[in-house]
Amino acid sequence: MSTLASLRLLRKPWNASKGNQSNATVGASSGWCQGLDIPNELFLVLGLVSLVENLLVVAAILKNRNLHSPTYYFICCLAVSDMLVSISNLAEMLLMLLLEHGVLVMRPSIIRHMDSVIDMLICSSVMSSLSFPGVIAVDRYITIFYALRYHSIMTLQRVVVTMVSIWLASTVSSTVLITYYSSNTILLCIIGFFLFMLVLMLVLYIHMFTLARHHLHSISSQQKPPTTHRGGSLKGAITLTILLGVFFICWGPFFFHLILIVTCPTNPFCICFFSYFNLFLI
């Protein structure tokens, strides 16, 4: 197993440069390309913190009946997705620590099978973690633009079908990803999916922000004397920036990593970037 989350597609660039070992050597010889040595214990602590945080979100939604609505069901699913990532990383970190310290002895074939299961769980969680923010954005969009028809559009049956479909699609796609991890076509599909979700949220949230700004402007123009709507617009812009900014900052390095795997797996600069994946994983 690798020294960090053992996704095959992230190990691929190092194995793919068989005919370009000189480039890899040049890229790795520079001091600033040595990567960042992060102890497994740190990943273990971060995994525990993430697990507890997401458990609290799930518990709050399940316990509070006022939160039993489509929006919070989707948020609950998003928390479960992130929780599965934490659990899989925790399981892998614990297994690696036990193996490194000789506490646990296992046959290589069993380790490979466990590695595959953990990789599949991580990939499935990643796909669902990308999907549910987009679904939440669509739900918010329907709430604003189709307020009177919201409950007839977002029925409990449709909500359940949507959640089940996302989990099923994430499981199937993770199986395909693990099976054909060496195919650039698979990686391009994942990158395309990330860009699609990013553009979808960008378009929906900007449209919602534009409507809110127009609404504030209309209210301001009807009042005598007219009141300023600058503060409300600024708050909306800040909220929009936080929503999309955090999403992009958290996922950006990972998908930039995938783009480099497809475009320049043996380039010294790309190899140098690969060596810092521990930092991006945090």
Side-chain angles (χ1 to χ4, degrees):
M1 299 180 75
S2 60
T3 58
L4 58 131
S6 57
L7 289 173
R8 290 174 174 80
L9 55 92
L10 298 174
R11 293 202 301 256
K12 177 62 179 173
W14 299 95
N15 299 329
S17 55
K18 295 178 181 179
N20 298 275
Q21 293 297 332
S22 58
N23 287 342
T25 303
V26 171
S29 61
S30 303
W32 59 280
C33 285
Q34 295 299 319
L36 189 63
D37 186 19
I38 300 176
N40 290 333
E41 289 78 5
L42 178 57
F43 286 105
L44 193 64
V45 172
L46 291 175
L48 285 171
V49 172
S50 177
L51 177 62
V52 172
E53 288 177 342
N54 287 292
L55 276 175
L56 289 175
V57 173
V58 173
I61 293 175
L62 294 179
K63 187 176 181 179
N64 191 340
R65 291 194 174 186
N66 294 327
L67 303 181
H68 291 182
S69 64
T71 301
Y72 287 101
Y73 290 150
F74 294 139
I75 293 176
C76 184
C77 287
L78 178 60
V80 171
S81 300
D82 296 336
M83 191 167 58
L84 289 177
V85 175
S86 301
I87 292 174
S88 56
N89 277 322
L90 281 173
E92 187 170 42
M93 289 299 110
L94 284 173
L95 185 60
M96 286 191 298
L97 289 173
L98 291 175
L99 291 172
E100 289 174 1
H101 291 83
V103 178
L104 184 64
V105 179
M106 301 176 67
R107 290 184 297 177
S109 59
I110 297 179
I111 294 178
R112 284 194 299 270
H113 287 308
M114 294 184 66
D115 193 22
S116 297
V117 172
I118 292 175
D119 284 349
M120 191 174 299
L121 181 60
I122 293 176
C123 291
S124 177
S125 303
V126 165
M127 298 304 292
S128 58
S129 293
L130 287 174
S131 301
F132 281 111
V135 173
I136 293 171
V138 172
D139 176 76
R140 293 296 82 200
Y141 186 86
I142 296 174
T143 301
I144 292 177
F145 287 91
Y146 302 95
L148 298 179
R149 297 173 51 201
Y150 176 79
H151 292 291
S152 62
I153 296 175
M154 297 298 295
T155 62
L156 180 60
Q157 182 179 4
R158 287 177 178 170
V159 170
V160 172
V161 169
T162 300
M163 292 189 296
V164 172
S165 298
I166 291 176
W167 283 113
L168 184 60
S170 299
T171 303
V172 173
S173 60
S174 66
T175 304
V176 174
L177 174 61
I178 294 301
T179 304
Y180 301 101
Y181 67 94
S182 60
S183 172
N184 283 347
T185 303
I186 296 297
L187 298 185
L188 287 173
C189 290
I190 299 174
I191 295 169
F193 180 68
F194 166 72
L195 294 176
F196 170 76
M197 297 306 300
L198 183 62
V199 171
L200 175 66
M201 289 189 292
L202 186 64
V203 171
L204 293 180
Y205 281 124
I206 288 180
H207 195 188
M208 285 186 279
F209 169 70
T210 303
L211 176 67
R213 190 170 182 274
H214 176 72
H215 183 63
L216 286 172
H217 179 74
S218 300
I219 295 176
S220 176
S221 62
Q222 292 174 6
Q223 294 179 345
K224 297 181 180 180
T227 58
T228 179
H229 61 278
R230 183 182 181 88
S233 297
L234 180 61
K235 182 182 292 186
I238 292 174
T239 302
L240 178 63
T241 302
I242 292 174
L243 281 171
L244 297 176
V246 170
F247 179 84
F248 182 77
I249 290 173
C250 289
W251 286 111
F254 175 81
F255 283 92
F256 185 59
H257 192 111
L258 297 189
I259 292 173
L260 295 184
I261 289 176
V262 175
T263 57
C264 58
T266 59
N267 182 279
F269 168 78
C270 298
I271 292 175
C272 181
F273 184 86
F274 296 149
S275 65
Y276 282 90
F277 183 70
N278 275 12
L279 178 63
F280 305 139
L281 185 62
I282 288 181

